[in-house]
Amino acid sequence: MLEKIKAIREEISAIIAFSVEEVEDLRIKYISKKGKVSQLFADFKNVPVDQKKEVGQAINDLKNFALDKINQLRENLESKTESDTGIDLTRPGEPMKLGSRHPLSIVKNEIFDIFARIGFIISEGPEIEDDWHVFSALNFPPEHPARDMQDTFFIEKDPDVLLRTHTSSVQIRVMERTQPPIRSLFPGRVFRNEAISARSHCIFHQIEGLYVDENVSFADLKQTLLYFAKELFGENTQIRLRPSFFPFTEPSAEMDVSCSICGGKGCNVCKYTGWLEILGCGMVDPNVLEACNIDSRKYTGFAFGMGIERITMLKYGIKDIRHFFENDVRFLKQFESAL
Ligand code: PHE
């Protein structure tokens, strides 16, 4: 009898249950009227008198043990939401905090959108370039200072392998493989050997635009840029074109927009001039078209190029270009709502 009690006790202590219904089945199996433990009480009458005390005690112990075990199983299951560590495993998880877009990406995407509305697509080219695509095909004379070691990061000399100093190299790559009409934007990183300061960095981003077709005129360029400036800086924005020089455009100009901060009245951002310079532009030099096997008697085009950092700094009043590359979360967080 004692052996039997011991066996049932071992059986009970090994029990595990996964649902309240299972616990109920166990209760019925062991301690209901016909259960295994209750059955022992029925057998008790056959126990010899001299063992009755010991066996009776053992059966009572077993019954209490079984009751405790079943209550404990039930409690565990009913409060499964509060596990041992006090963590409610059934609660929905903490949402993962989403990062935000980098301010340069926000402005870049905005520029893409503005030009997409007038039919510009996007093309990209390599950051590691050769002399032809960065300088020669763009009509830079051999002795031009931009080729100088001062400005350009050379990887190899003769033949030159270098980091592109502007995205105009992508103009060449696209014109070499496509005949007009071409209407495309070229975004990308560019590299110049410049001292890093609040205003300039040796790595920055440009977006270049190119439109080549029959009868493209300077008036088209001007109107396209006016549309762009109004879309980016607001309806009241005005533009001004100042004559300038680039080897790959003729005529060339620099474009200013009326200062969006003071509305043109003069403030420290526009250095009290009312104007902010934001891009270089011009009509594609016929030599450039010819270098890419495009008939310069049939086709004309315009191009423009701008620094994304500069535009972003103006748009958000950012005073130091280095913020863009440090990725300090306190800086980046401020653009969460600008998505
Ligand atoms: N590539 C010029 C620069 O980096 C910008 C530019 C592009 C000017 C296209 C005219 C036309 O400064």
Side-chain angles (χ1 to χ4, degrees):
M1 186 82 177
L2 285 172
E3 285 298 305
K4 199 172 170 191
I5 294 171
K6 198 174 163 217
I8 296 177
R9 195 185 173 99
E10 274 166 16
E11 201 179 303
I12 292 174
S13 67
I15 285 170
I16 45 170
F18 296 99
S19 68
V20 180
E21 292 74 36
E22 268 180 59
V23 178
E24 180 57 16
D25 289 347
L26 288 167
R27 192 190 65 78
I28 293 168
K29 183 170 171 194
Y30 289 100
I31 46 183
S32 67
K33 278 221 171 92
K34 291 199 173 139
K36 278 191 177 181
V37 178
S38 312
Q39 210 55 52
L40 291 171
F41 286 108
D43 295 345
F44 185 63
K45 57 181 183 298
N46 304 326
V47 173
V49 181
D50 58 338
Q51 288 177 25
K52 271 198 165 29
K53 191 173 177 209
E54 194 188 353
V55 173
Q57 183 75 46
I59 298 176
N60 270 324
D61 284 352
L62 178 65
K63 188 182 175 190
N64 288 336
F65 178 74
L67 272 172
D68 282 351
K69 173 82 185 188
I70 282 169
N71 284 338
Q72 198 199 339
L73 284 173
R74 184 178 290 128
E75 246 170 58
N76 279 353
L77 285 166
E78 280 170 354
S79 66
K80 200 169 182 184
T81 48
E82 300 279 326
S83 74
D84 291 350
T85 53
I87 298 168
D88 179 353
L89 298 175
T90 63
R91 284 178 60 186
E94 288 280 317
M96 287 269 268
K97 194 127 180 55
L98 271 185
S100 53
R101 278 202 203 288
H102 193 279
L104 293 178
S105 299
I106 295 171
V107 170
K108 183 180 74 177
N109 289 339
E110 204 175 331
I111 296 173
F112 286 168
D113 282 350
I114 293 171
F115 281 101
R117 294 202 279 276
I118 52 171
F120 280 74
I121 58 160
I122 293 163
S123 314
E124 287 182 310
E127 293 175 351
I128 298 173
E129 270 291 9
D130 49 28
D131 176 274
W132 171 255
H133 291 94
V134 177
F135 299 126
S136 296
L138 285 160
N139 202 33
F140 279 79
E143 71 288 358
H144 194 283
R147 296 170 180 241
D148 202 303
M149 291 296 267
Q150 300 285 306
D151 283 310
T152 309
F153 287 113
F154 287 93
I155 295 170
E156 276 167 28
K157 286 296 266 174
D158 295 325
D160 291 350
V161 179
L162 46 99
L163 297 179
R164 66 181 177 196
T165 56
H166 54 183
T167 41
S168 303
S169 52
V170 193
Q171 280 189 37
I172 302 301
R173 291 196 172 269
V174 168
M175 287 194 282
E176 277 175 338
R177 60 167 193 253
T178 342
Q179 281 296 310
I182 297 168
R183 197 160 23 173
S184 195
L185 289 185
F186 317 122
R189 260 198 312 193
V190 300
F191 308 84
R192 286 184 199 174
N193 192 358
E194 278 181 34
I196 298 172
S197 71
R199 318 219 97 235
S200 62
H201 207 285
C202 57
I203 302 176
F204 58 102
H205 298 78
Q206 288 188 327
I207 292 188
E208 184 110 354
L210 176 72
Y211 178 31
V212 185
D213 203 349
E214 290 179 42
N215 301 318
V216 176
S217 71
F218 200 90
D220 295 325
L221 169 63
K222 206 174 145 189
Q223 203 56 35
T224 304
L225 293 179
L226 178 63
Y227 155 78
F228 164 64
K230 283 178 181 289
E231 292 290 303
L232 190 66
F233 291 106
E235 184 51 36
N236 296 326
T237 309
Q238 297 190 317
I239 63 165
R240 160 174 104 169
L241 293 170
R242 284 177 289 103
S244 184
F245 174 78
F246 299 102
F248 37 93
T249 48
E250 183 59 37
S252 305
E254 221 117 25
M255 182 176 97
D256 299 341
V257 292
S258 53
C259 178
S260 54
I261 291 167
C262 61
K265 285 190 208 70
C267 65
N268 62 353
V269 175
C270 61
K271 303 208 188 80
Y272 299 95
T273 62
W275 296 95
L276 301 164
E277 182 194 319
I278 64 158
L279 57 79
C281 60
M283 301 307 291
V284 181
D285 192 301
N287 286 345
V288 176
L289 296 174
E290 293 299 332
C292 303
N293 292 321
I294 291 177
D295 185 351
S296 64
R297 283 159 307 171
K298 186 167 177 208
Y299 295 109
T300 50
F302 66 69
F304 54 87
M306 62 192 112
I308 308 179
E309 280 79 0
R310 179 164 169 77
I311 293 185
T312 310
M313 287 168 83
L314 294 174
K315 209 169 146 65
Y316 291 109
I318 297 163
K319 296 257 153 44
D320 193 320
I321 196 170
R322 289 169 289 200
H323 287 313
F324 293 124
F325 306 99
E326 281 160 3
N327 286 330
D328 185 326
V329 198
R330 291 168 301 178
F331 171 71
L332 297 176
K333 267 186 125 155
Q334 297 176 57
F335 300 91
E336 273 172 1
S337 59
L339 276 176

